[in-house]
Amino acid sequence: ENTKNRHLWPGMSVGDTSTKGVVETMSQIQITRGMLPESNGAIHWSISSVTKNPNLSKALIETVYKKDALVPASPWLGAKVPEAPESLQKENKTDKWTISWLHKHPETIFRWVVYAQYGSTQTYQILNRKDRSVDISNSTKDKAKKDVALTKVFVSSVDRLGNESGRTEIEIVQ
C-alpha cells in the first residue's frame, strides 16, 4: 500500500549477463509496465551488470529505454514550478533551425525540454542545464514517408525535483 503516493519503483536484478538474462530483463520491464501502468520506472541492480554487458545495454537503449525521460517530480520535497524560459530566438540555417533561450534564474534549472512540432506530431529532447541552444531539423518524415515541416518549438525548464515549467513557444515560418 502506497498511502503517501511516493514513488514506487520495482527493483530488477540484472546479474545474469547471458542472452537468456537479457531476454528476462526485457520481459520484466514490459511486465512491470503492464502491471503498474502508472509507475514511473524501475530500478536495476547492480548497474555495473548493465554497463558491463554490451548486449543488455544495447537492447535497453534500442527498445524500452529508447526515448529520454525525466526523473518524475517529487512534490512532497517541493512543488514550486520553475519559471519558464524567456526570450526564445530562432536562426534559420540550411536544413535546420537553431533555437536559443534565456532564463532569469538559470542556476535553479537542472534540465531543459525542447519540444518540436511537426504538423500534428511532437518530438522532444531533454538537455542539460548548461545548454542554452539546440539545432532542430527543418522537417521530418511522417508515417507515409512524406516531409512534414517544423511549425513550432516550445521550451520548458525543469528543476532538480522534476518540476517542469510551462512552455515558452516560438513559431517557425518556412
Side-chain angles (χ1 to χ4, degrees):
E1 208 172 320
N2 188 5
T3 59
K4 297 213 180 234
N5 294 317
R6 301 299 198 256
H7 299 309
L8 182 61
W9 295 322
M12 294 177 210
S13 173
V14 289
D16 181 355
T17 59
S18 70
T19 301
K20 183 179 175 186
V22 171
V23 171
E24 178 65 22
T25 299
M26 304 300 283
S27 296
Q28 287 178 12
I29 293 168
Q30 296 295 16
I31 290 167
T32 59
R33 286 179 176 179
M35 289 173 58
L36 303 168
E38 300 303 314
S39 174
N40 290 317
I43 295 179
H44 300 280
W45 84 87
S46 146
I47 197 64
S48 65
S49 296
V50 175
T51 60
K52 292 179 181 176
N53 183 343
N55 291 334
L56 178 58
S57 296
K58 183 178 180 193
L60 290 170
I61 290 169
E62 291 179 354
T63 60
V64 295
Y65 297 153
K66 190 171 188 168
K67 287 185 158 187
D68 287 344
L70 294 169
V71 172
S74 300
W76 58 90
L77 297 175
K80 184 180 178 198
V81 174
E83 292 181 47
E86 56 185 31
S87 187
L88 265 64
Q89 302 292 317
K90 61 186 176 186
E91 182 183 348
N92 190 356
K93 298 192 175 171
T94 305
D95 58 347
K96 62 188 172 193
W97 288 84
T98 297
I99 308 298
S100 58
W101 58 91
L102 299 173
H103 195 276
K104 286 181 186 174
H105 304 286
E107 71 280 359
T108 66
I109 305 306
F110 187 62
R111 299 267 191 250
W112 306 102
V113 184
V114 179
Y115 301 88
Q117 181 84 36
Y118 296 95
S120 61
T121 302
Q122 267 190 11
T123 63
Y124 68 90
Q125 297 177 56
I126 299 172
L127 305 175
N128 291 319
R129 71 180 79 176
K130 292 185 180 182
D131 297 327
R132 296 290 189 293
S133 69
V134 64
D135 289 336
I136 300 177
S137 177
N138 276 342
S139 64
T140 190
K141 302 279 186 195
D142 65 11
K143 291 180 182 177
K145 306 283 187 220
K146 294 181 182 175
D147 281 333
V148 180
L150 177 68
T151 56
K152 293 180 185 176
V153 176
F154 309 86
V155 181
S156 66
S157 49
V158 182
D159 68 13
R160 277 194 104 19
L161 299 176
N163 298 307
E164 185 175 0
S165 73
R167 299 176 182 182
T168 303
E169 174 184 330
I170 192 166
E171 291 209 28
I172 305 294
V173 179
Q174 303 208 38

